[in-house]
Amino acid sequence: MSMLAFNSGVYAGGQLDDLAERMQRRAQTTPPGMCPVTLALAALEQSAEQTCGKCVPCREGLPLLAQKVRAIAECRATERDFQETLQLAHVIADASDCAIGWQAARDFLYSTEAYAAEYASHIDRHACLPGTGQSVPCETECPAHVNVPGYIALAAQGDLAGTIAMIRKDNPFPTACGYVCEHPCEAHCRRRLIDAPINIRGIKKYAVDGVAADTVPTPEALPASGRSVAVVGAGPSGLTAAYFLALMGHHVDVFEARKQLGGMMRYGIPAYRFPREKLDQDIRAILGAGDIDVHCEAPVDAARMAELSAGHDAVYVAVGAQGGKMLDLPGADAEGVMSAVDLLTRIGDGDYPDFTGKRVVVIGGGNVAMDCARTSVRAGAASVQVAYRRRIDDMTALRTEIDSAMQEGVEILMLQSPERIEVDEAGHCTALVTQPQFIGAVKRGRPAPQKASKPPLRIPADVVLIAVGQAIESAPFEEAGMEADRARFIATPQLKAAGSLPNVFVGGDCQLGPKTVILAVGAGKVAARNIDEFMGYHHTLNIDVEAPSPRPNDRQAYGRVEVHERLPHERRCDFEGVELGMSEEEALQECGRCLRCDHYGSGAMLGGRKQYV
Amino acid sequence: MSNENLVHVTIDGCEVCAPAGETILHAALRANIQIPRLCALGNDAGVGMCRVCVVEVKGQDALVTACNTPVAEGMEISTHGERVEASRRMSLSLILAEHGLNSTNYCFSCRKNGDCQLQAVCNALGVTEPAYPIPAQDKPHRDSNPFLEFDPNLCIRCQRCVVACNERACNHTLHTAKRGARLTIEAPFGPDWDTTGCESCGCCAAACPTGALIEKRRATYRSWEVEPTLTTCPHCGVGCQLELLVKDNRVVDTRAYHGASNKGLLCVKGRSASFDFVRSGDRLTTPLIKNHDTGEFEPASWDDALDLVARRFTELREEYGGEALAAFACSRSTDEDIYMLEKMARTAFHTNNVDNCARV
């Protein structure tokens, strides 16, 4: 008798998932700055181990390819070797039977195109590109290069004022970033090797909730230089530049077109995500740092821009991307249709809409679309629906924002491409009509929607909010002599503005396109440093805080403490802050997971850290 | 071929009509288009290991293997061209790199030299070097089996032997082991060969495209020294077709032939035990009759011998009846001879006790 065993086979049925999951976390923790050739090599060697051994191109070809790529990685290969390597890879991609083989070669070939300069450097210069090399992940990935291990260690000691001071060394918006930062610092956190990235933003929020930022003194400004700098735009980038320039002893004039300071932090991000009194704490601290004059409701036109350039030693233009993009839809000019930016701008000055009983449809899939949807819920809408032409997974909004919106009753209509807006005789919109889509092939890195063979969908709507992106209002500045391309100002990597004005720097959303607070902060800091150099100085700022000595790493795996929100049925009724924050014990456990990469590993080496100051 | 199951394809510009499901390789053969190949074995779809038979099919992203890709209506196939040939050459040079050439002093001492399909395909495609310099290989041979031996250094892991043993001969004694890049062929010819299920049929050696897995007999001749003579295996009643390979007027080996009953396969007797006796010194060349006085066999004429046998059988039948006799034919006899023996048993011996040993 030959009986069957009831199982999936040796090392099947998910039996290897534990090892694969560790390997996956290892790959996700790839240190920033690592040479892409070595990463491609590691992938190839892994692929070579995955071969079943059947086909020659994979079984024999992949190990040989790995051997050849190792020679390239180790800078031993010539151009001829490189060409032979490419030939071999093309044959493996062309003649392997299954994807284990051909996709391995395709991935390698992709790397040679995506990182062509690095490969060329290995072949021609027998070295990596300058600057290649591992560095502390959180600090490097933070666009402002905040000393994350340092402030986490201070928070672990209960020194929340020190925490804020340490953040502020590189970023004068600790509160804003504690509330709304997209935390790129967490993406490659080395802690993921063990369990999960540290909740860095959560720790920062814990600090700024525990001690108000404006109660922590800023460092003493350097003696007055007698120089003055104009900053156009009082958003995160402009105010960051103003802060550091003031600390360096320069006089700063800040020009803001709107009534209040804060830019998109006030006129874009809703108060329930970032309560205004918290924003004001950051701004008060910045304005108290030195010789800063603020001019609100002072829009800058071409003539004024020319005056600023002539009348100041330097100008930093950081006007953001505040123009709401509209869709060219039939009926888009109907009453009830507005751009997301218009809605959120009005709210910034306290003009809250009343959507009581109205059916609201939001078009878009980014964070701004979620902001509009959740704002509409709070404005009393009878129903809020988000129409998006791709799938939920393709949305650019943070997953937590989408989940929170859905918990608050927002419905997501995915794969719906807006076709037209129905308008009644009075000129008021009545519905959004969409064409259903299906998700198709990946184009330019994203799955592209295609028209589905389904009838159009009519979504009744009293209000249609269009959240499909923002544009910069560059015309006056172009007229004054600055150069822009495709709605972004052109600048050197040092943020020197292109054009005829000799002393103008530019950064933030208006130079990068609509991005994040922390990128704008990073640009503002670089601009301040470079304006200082441009004016002939090389100021070194006072730093009143030091990172504590590290403790030994805690190697026990933990769950990651998440920041929770108030219950959906409560929070959807008001504009109060939604996040609850960490308790002390949660924050301390989270801080204790930090591996202090500034001390352990590459951080201790010369060049192992990325810092601006 | 019935029309409803035919598909129409173009191969190198030739229109070919082939049954649905047939591979590109075999459809090409219909138009006398030869596609180089190594691992494909016979008429069945291959496992597609060697990738030497790759061809270009219009509209497909990648090259496809002719040996196991079925034709589809309207396919436009190109069996040569720079892309195809570069790919074949690269695959062959990779194969050559795992073929331990040092083991045979670069083919000089290989018993398959001149009869090696790897050598032939490499020559045809102009591949003269391995893809990379290879370290000398020195894996131990497996040569305890009296008929067969395996040199793992020469093995290119094409798995033709695996197919031959498991799917053709259905002996299931030869397997692959250590999957992945370290995949090896486990040929059961080691010191414990006689405890394995291996019947030494040699179908594996016949399938091997290189000198890795060979009949030991090969040591006695080179392929160009022998003349084949097609014949029927004399060993049993199956009627396997084989060629006797003759060198200097001596049978030195056999080669399986695609006969209706054996389809290119042979058993150990047919392949290795059906011809050595031709030149045996023990072989009888005349009838012998035992001299009861001396107890020795003495040469006799056929008439004397047959008279003696006929007389004694008749006496036995008269004395004990036909049921006391039986006729048992040798399986190595022809059907006609066995029929005559059976006829004689029934009519002359008066018995139905007839049998035959054709049960190997």
Side-chain angles (χ1 to χ4, degrees):
Chain A
M1 200 160 46
S2 171
M3 305 246 275
L4 298 176
F6 180 71
N7 64 24
S8 308
V10 178
Y11 302 133
Q15 286 184 72
L16 294 176
D17 288 358
D18 49 352
L19 294 185
E21 197 259 347
R22 283 163 187 251
M23 200 158 75
Q24 185 181 345
R25 281 193 277 117
R26 171 72 57 170
Q28 287 172 332
T29 315
T30 298
M34 199 175 145
C35 170
V37 183
T38 60
L39 202 55
L41 170 64
L44 267 178
E45 287 181 335
Q46 190 202 337
S47 304
E49 292 302 330
Q50 288 185 344
T51 185
C52 73
K54 193 194 85 174
C55 303
V56 164
C58 173
R59 181 187 75 207
E60 303 297 321
L62 286 181
L64 176 60
L65 187 59
Q67 198 179 315
K68 286 173 175 288
V69 175
R70 179 167 288 283
I72 299 170
E74 292 173 358
C75 300
R76 292 185 276 111
T78 63
E79 175 62 28
R80 189 175 159 202
D81 295 332
F82 182 53
Q83 292 305 326
E84 285 176 3
T85 308
L86 293 179
Q87 276 171 14
L88 175 62
H90 278 295
V91 168
I92 296 171
D94 216 7
S96 293
D97 207 13
C98 82
I100 294 273
W102 48 255
Q103 188 60 24
R106 280 159 49 111
D107 286 343
F108 164 69
L109 288 168
Y110 167 81
S111 80
T112 63
E113 288 166 17
Y115 298 93
E118 184 67 41
Y119 279 90
S121 178
H122 279 241
I123 307 287
D124 300 337
R125 300 175 53 250
H126 307 293
C128 284
L129 280 177
T132 305
Q134 287 95 324
S135 53
V136 178
C138 49
E139 188 179 70
T140 305
E141 302 290 31
C142 174
H145 302 321
V146 171
N147 183 347
V148 177
Y151 81 69
I152 289 180
L154 287 161
Q157 291 182 346
D159 181 2
L160 301 186
T163 304
I164 288 168
M166 181 62 89
I167 296 168
R168 203 183 259 157
K169 175 173 79 66
D170 303 285
N171 170 8
F173 282 101
T175 317
C177 287
Y179 275 77
V180 298
C181 189
E182 291 203 356
H183 48 79
C185 51
E186 295 174 20
H188 299 101
C189 175
R190 196 167 294 166
R191 185 74 203 189
R192 196 200 292 267
L193 290 172
I194 303 163
D195 39 42
I198 311 270
N199 192 336
I200 298 174
R201 182 182 73 86
I203 292 170
K204 182 155 45 207
K205 182 170 189 298
Y206 170 75
V208 297
D209 282 347
V211 173
D214 55 350
T215 64
V216 179
T218 54
E220 196 182 340
L222 300 176
S225 66
R227 301 296 189 113
S228 79
V229 180
V231 171
V232 184
S237 202
L239 288 180
T240 298
Y243 172 77
F244 286 111
L245 287 164
L247 286 183
M248 291 165 185
H250 308 303
H251 171 76
V252 184
D253 282 308
V254 177
F255 297 88
E256 169 55 49
R258 300 193 196 278
K259 282 184 195 158
Q260 299 176 75
L261 304 180
M264 276 300 188
M265 293 182 294
R266 186 183 303 278
Y267 294 100
I269 297 167
Y272 63 85
R273 283 179 60 202
F274 189 20
R276 297 302 177 233
E277 65 275 15
K278 298 303 292 184
L279 170 61
D280 291 338
Q281 288 169 0
D282 274 348
I283 293 177
R284 269 197 295 276
I286 290 169
L287 297 184
D291 184 9
I292 302 175
D293 282 345
V294 171
H295 313 271
C296 283
E297 295 184 274
V300 172
D301 58 14
R304 187 86 183 99
M305 181 63 205
E307 280 171 33
L308 292 179
S309 173
H312 290 80
D313 296 292
V315 183
Y316 180 50
V317 174
V319 294
Q322 306 222 348
K325 279 190 186 162
M326 289 298 278
L327 286 173
D328 189 18
L329 292 179
D333 52 355
E335 198 183 326
V337 181
M338 64 183 105
S339 81
V341 170
D342 289 345
L343 174 79
L344 297 171
T345 300
R346 278 168 51 194
I347 292 174
D349 281 327
D351 177 13
Y352 284 93
D354 182 7
F355 289 158
T356 306
K358 290 189 174 166
R359 295 165 298 184
V360 178
V361 176
V362 180
I363 299 173
N367 283 322
V368 176
M370 296 304 127
D371 288 344
C372 287
R374 296 178 75 182
T375 297
S376 301
V377 168
R378 286 161 175 76
S383 69
V384 181
Q385 293 169 313
V386 175
Y388 181 55
R389 64 199 193 102
R390 292 184 163 91
R391 303 164 306 169
I392 290 180
D393 284 346
D394 304 317
M395 286 183 159
T396 55
L398 289 179
R399 184 73 218 190
T400 52
E401 285 295 314
I402 301 168
D403 290 343
S404 295
M406 291 199 289
Q407 286 165 9
E408 290 167 10
V410 173
E411 291 180 336
I412 311 255
L413 300 169
M414 58 179 167
L415 292 166
Q416 301 296 336
S417 178
E419 286 272 285
R420 62 195 159 86
I421 291 166
E422 279 186 11
V423 188
D424 65 13
E425 288 163 2
H428 200 283
C429 76
T430 54
L432 173 71
V433 179
T434 61
Q435 171 59 50
Q437 308 283 305
F438 73 98
I439 203 72
V442 173
K443 288 176 189 165
R444 286 191 293 274
R446 292 176 80 189
Q450 287 175 279
K451 185 176 173 181
S453 313
K454 292 180 185 171
L457 178 69
R458 183 180 183 278
I459 311 165
D462 305 307
V463 175
V464 175
L465 300 170
I466 298 177
V468 294
Q470 292 126 257
I472 66 165
E473 288 155 353
S474 60
F477 301 91
E478 288 190 72
E479 196 185 328
M482 290 172 67
E483 289 178 13
D485 178 38
R486 278 176 290 179
R488 290 178 199 178
F489 288 119
I490 303 170
T492 65
Q494 292 74 34
L495 302 183
K496 186 85 170 49
S500 58
L501 300 173
N503 59 346
V504 175
F505 290 72
V506 62
D509 280 0
C510 66
Q511 186 248 336
L512 295 166
K515 290 284 190 306
T516 60
V517 169
I518 191 62
L519 267 165
V521 167
K525 191 169 72 160
V526 169
R529 156 66 63 214
N530 290 349
I531 287 171
D532 189 54
E533 295 280 331
F534 173 78
M535 295 190 301
Y537 299 94
H538 187 83
H539 283 117
T540 304
L541 293 175
N542 294 321
I543 300 169
D544 305 335
V545 61
E546 268 184 36
S549 303
R551 293 180 295 200
N553 283 171
D554 182 349
R555 300 184 179 195
Q556 165 68 44
Y558 293 87
R560 172 182 149 111
V561 174
E562 300 291 355
V563 175
H564 298 290
E565 296 191 341
R566 292 158 55 208
L567 291 175
H569 75 274
E570 287 174 7
R571 69 184 192 236
R572 72 195 298 277
C573 301
D574 59 51
F575 283 90
E576 304 298 316
V578 290
E579 281 191 340
L580 290 170
M582 289 183 192
S583 69
E584 184 181 7
E585 60 193 356
E586 287 177 323
L588 290 181
Q589 178 175 308
E590 207 53 18
C591 291
R593 293 168 60 224
C594 178
L595 298 175
R596 287 301 298 268
C597 301
D598 58 332
H599 176 84
Y600 297 105
S602 66
M605 283 197 306
L606 183 66
R609 303 190 65 174
K610 276 276 187 300
Q611 292 174 311
Y612 283 144
V613 181
Chain B
M1 290 190 285
S2 84
N3 281 337
E4 57 192 284
N5 290 325
L6 288 183
V7 295
H8 302 81
V9 298
T10 313
I11 306 179
D12 295 341
C14 297
E15 290 187 6
V16 179
C17 212
E22 185 167 82
T23 64
I24 293 174
L25 176 66
H26 293 103
L29 290 172
R30 290 177 187 278
N32 288 324
I33 294 169
Q34 286 290 340
I35 298 172
R37 56 195 181 274
L38 258 184
C39 72
L41 184 62
N43 289 319
D44 295 348
V47 288
M49 159 271 170
C50 72
R51 321 306 284 179
V52 172
C53 69
V54 287
V55 295
E56 210 168 346
V57 175
K58 193 174 176 186
Q60 298 217 8
D61 286 346
L63 301 176
V64 301
T65 38
C67 72
N68 63 1
T69 305
V71 287
E73 183 62 37
M75 258 187 184
E76 288 180 46
I77 300 153
S78 172
T79 71
H80 52 254
E82 198 171 329
R83 179 182 174 199
V84 163
E85 280 157 23
S87 180
R88 287 176 184 161
R89 279 197 298 272
M90 182 67 82
S91 292
L92 272 178
S93 65
L94 286 167
I95 292 170
L96 214 46
E98 60 174 329
H99 185 57
L101 287 165
N102 64 291
S103 182
T104 57
N105 294 317
Y106 290 79
C107 303
F108 180 82
S109 60
C110 182
R111 294 167 191 175
K112 284 285 277 289
N113 192 1
D115 198 20
C116 169
Q117 287 165 63
L118 176 59
Q119 195 181 47
V121 176
C122 283
N123 280 330
L125 294 177
V127 175
T128 54
E129 281 181 334
Y132 51 94
I134 35 173
Q137 295 192 31
D138 192 22
K139 295 175 207 151
H141 291 214
R142 288 174 174 237
D143 57 1
S144 302
N145 181 298
F147 300 102
L148 295 155
E149 67 175 284
F150 177 56
D151 178 357
N153 303 298
L154 296 177
C155 177
I156 59 169
R157 302 182 280 179
C158 69
Q159 303 185 42
R160 281 168 65 148
C161 54
V162 179
V163 174
C165 181
N166 292 271
E167 292 174 28
R168 301 290 167 79
C170 297
N171 283 330
H172 305 285
T173 54
L174 191 150
H175 302 288
T176 57
K178 298 181 196 157
R179 295 291 280 271
R182 289 164 292 281
L183 180 124
T184 53
I185 301 298
E186 292 292 294
F189 310 147
D192 61 345
W193 69 275
D194 52 353
T195 65
T196 70
C198 176
E199 296 176 353
S200 310
C201 69
C203 290
C204 52
C208 182
T210 71
L213 227 165
I214 54 169
E215 293 280 350
K216 289 183 169 175
R217 267 182 209 286
R218 278 234 169 221
T220 62
Y221 67 96
R222 294 297 177 113
S223 60
W224 56 85
E225 296 172 335
V226 295
E227 287 291 329
T229 301
L230 182 61
T231 187
T232 303
C233 176
H235 215 94
C236 78
V238 173
C240 297
Q241 298 297 291
L242 57 83
E243 288 171 324
L244 292 170
L245 304 182
V246 180
K247 173 187 173 183
D248 298 337
N249 211 29
R250 294 177 75 99
V251 181
V252 290
D253 203 356
T254 56
R255 187 159 64 203
Y257 191 84
H258 262 272
S261 59
N262 66 317
K263 296 184 170 56
L265 303 176
L266 287 175
C267 73
V268 62
K269 292 186 179 178
R271 195 185 304 277
S272 298
S274 297
F275 54 88
D276 283 337
F277 53 77
V278 171
R279 291 270 179 172
S280 170
D282 296 341
R283 193 170 175 186
L284 300 185
T285 52
T286 177
L288 300 174
I289 296 175
K290 189 180 261 182
N291 182 332
H292 286 288
D293 297 334
T294 62
E296 295 293 321
F297 280 103
E298 292 172 357
S301 73
W302 278 104
D303 279 349
D304 290 346
L306 289 172
D307 283 351
L308 173 66
V309 172
R311 180 172 54 79
R312 287 290 295 132
F313 272 108
T314 307
E315 288 167 8
L316 288 169
R317 188 193 66 192
E318 299 297 326
E319 188 172 352
Y320 301 105
E323 284 300 294
L325 298 176
F328 195 88
C330 173
S331 66
R332 300 182 56 183
S333 311
T334 64
D335 280 356
E336 291 79 3
D337 287 346
I338 296 169
Y339 175 79
M340 291 308 295
L341 179 71
E342 170 261 353
K343 198 77 177 168
M344 182 178 75
R346 295 186 207 278
T347 57
F349 293 178
H350 299 172
T351 180
N352 289 325
N353 295 337
V354 289
D355 202 359
N356 181 288
C357 68
R359 298 195 183 89
V360 282

